[in-house]
Amino acid sequence: MVEYQQADEVTVVLPREPKRRRGRIRSMLVSKRPRGWFGWTAVVLGWLALLAGLTGVGLHYNTMSSESAMLAASFAPYLMLFAVLALVILLLARAWRGALVALLVTAAALWSQLPMLWPDGTAGPGVDVAVMQSNLLFGNADTDAVVRAVRENGIEVLTLEELTPEALARLDGAGLAELLPYRHVEAAAGGAGSGIFTRYPLEAGSKLSGFLLNNVRATMIHPDRGPVAVFQFHPIPPNLNFDAWSNELRTIRDLLDQQPGQVIVGGDFNATFDHAPFRELLRGRYADAGELLGIGAMPTWPDDRSWGPLLGLDRVLVAGGHATQVRSLTIPRSDHRAVVARLRL
């Protein structure tokens, strides 16, 4: 007879490592109070930078109800950069919740600037027109340099602000009349004067009403594209008259909305992409040349300071077309960089 002995029951204990690993992951996601003076300092600096970045985003979307908000919004992109700095600091400080907030603010800042940073497709077939926009600083700018830029860049449409009678005479003396023989100008002393100069015939030139400074329009008869409306705008600087600035930007929007067909716009708008009234001009069929190419704000003012330029005030807009090139260039003795754009109509 064979006897069988029942084996003792064995209990197997599985390792608990996965549970401990989950615990470590949870602890990483929970913000812990930093230890020591350095840790506290880093977190405080991170949150201060985050507040600056959040302020920049808020100013970008502000409806410009006050002069102080408008002036601050001019520097909104520079404030938004602090959100990126906050993200780095808070990550290094292992302040995970703060870092998550900084990441969201950074994403909002990037989203606000995306239209100026993302190219809007490519230009289709058409005719290229070279456009230049320049502010002459009370007529004191180097007019020889302006004419030289017109010649070297093959400019066909030129819009000027702060055009004085004396500056107009110097421009013609340097050869502008030979390069761009057609014009509609409203020259004036100080910063009020303006003008449109073209290679092709102009019709229906007029001074626009509703502005403290001279703003003009005309219709250029292009040999290949036919009638093309050309506007030159120079709203009053907002620090001189905030209410007038607001009204004049609304007037510009209304004028552009009412204009059919292909349109070229050059001007010193005394506003940046971070001002809501300027972005209103870009709704519908109008686009900024820099926006179309995704090159960013392209600062143009002040160009007479070692630390400038900081703000993109000078713009070239187009309706019924695209842009193939845009850049800025220095005009000696002017506080604005000129903008040279090649538009495809």
Side-chain angles (χ1 to χ4, degrees):
M1 182 175 182
V2 180
E3 294 182 0
Y4 296 92
Q5 184 175 2
Q6 184 176 3
D8 292 335
E9 185 176 356
V10 178
T11 301
V12 178
V13 179
L14 297 175
R16 300 176 62 84
E17 177 62 22
K19 185 175 181 179
R20 290 198 297 272
R21 187 180 297 115
R22 291 194 297 270
R24 287 198 299 269
I25 294 174
R26 283 197 299 269
S27 67
M28 290 176 64
L29 296 175
V30 176
S31 177
K32 293 184 177 181
R33 177 178 299 178
R35 297 178 180 178
W37 177 86
F38 181 82
W40 273 115
T41 302
V43 170
V44 170
L45 290 177
W47 278 98
L48 288 175
L50 180 57
L51 179 61
L54 185 61
T55 300
V57 174
L59 288 169
H60 174 86
Y61 291 106
N62 186 278
T63 57
M64 305 294 111
S65 57
S66 69
E67 179 180 347
S68 58
M70 183 281 309
L71 293 174
S74 303
F75 302 94
Y78 300 101
L79 290 172
M80 292 181 198
L81 291 176
F82 281 97
V84 181
L85 178 62
L87 178 60
V88 173
I89 292 175
L90 293 172
L91 284 173
L92 293 176
R94 300 176 66 84
W96 307 116
R97 290 174 180 169
L100 178 60
V101 176
L103 179 62
L104 295 175
V105 175
T106 299
L110 180 61
W111 180 261
S112 73
Q113 301 299 307
L114 195 60
M116 293 297 291
L117 299 173
W118 191 267
D120 190 8
T122 57
V127 176
D128 284 356
V129 177
V131 181
M132 178 172 163
Q133 146 63 30
S134 184
N135 182 308
L136 301 182
L137 184 58
F138 307 125
N140 295 322
D142 185 342
T143 49
D144 288 341
V146 172
V147 176
R148 184 164 55 251
V150 169
R151 180 181 296 108
E152 293 176 352
N153 291 278
I155 298 301
E156 298 160 274
V157 177
L158 171 67
T159 56
L160 295 177
E161 291 80 48
E162 305 193 16
L163 175 64
T164 63
E166 295 79 11
L168 181 59
R170 296 199 311 273
L171 287 166
D172 285 338
L176 183 63
E178 289 74 25
L179 296 170
L180 303 176
Y182 304 97
R183 64 183 63 184
H184 180 80
V185 299
E186 294 287 344
S194 62
I196 295 173
F197 303 78
T198 66
R199 182 180 298 179
Y200 311 113
L202 285 179
E203 296 179 350
S206 63
K207 177 181 174 180
L208 300 170
S209 61
F211 297 91
L212 295 179
L213 306 178
N214 294 342
N215 291 239
V216 297
R217 75 166 303 282
T219 300
M220 177 179 68
I221 308 302
H222 192 278
D224 297 313
R225 303 305 298 173
V228 178
V230 181
F231 286 89
Q232 172 277 326
F233 288 120
H234 189 202
I236 192 75
N239 57 312
L240 297 183
N241 191 327
F242 175 72
D243 291 336
W245 174 83
S246 301
N247 293 331
E248 289 181 4
L249 283 173
R250 284 193 292 268
T251 300
I252 293 174
R253 183 194 63 198
D254 293 341
L255 288 168
L256 294 181
D257 286 347
Q258 296 166 12
Q259 180 63 53
Q262 295 180 311
V263 186
I264 295 172
V265 182
D268 167 11
F269 288 90
N270 280 311
T272 74
F273 182 74
D274 293 285
H275 292 118
F278 177 78
R279 293 197 303 277
E280 279 291 299
L281 306 181
L282 305 182
R283 68 182 184 181
R285 64 197 195 95
Y286 287 89
D288 174 82
E291 173 196 9
L292 289 169
L293 296 176
I295 66 168
M298 196 172 69
T300 61
W301 181 90
D303 197 37
D304 58 347
R305 299 289 187 271
S306 59
W307 42 264
L310 295 178
L311 307 181
L313 304 182
D314 297 80
R315 322 300 300 178
V316 172
L317 314 183
V318 61
H322 208 284
T324 60
Q325 182 184 20
V326 63
R327 63 187 181 92
S328 64
L329 54 88
T330 293
I331 301 296
R333 299 199 301 275
S334 174
D335 59 342
H336 288 251
R337 291 179 66 86
V339 175
V340 174
R342 194 167 297 275
L343 306 179
R344 179 72 54 81
L345 300 181

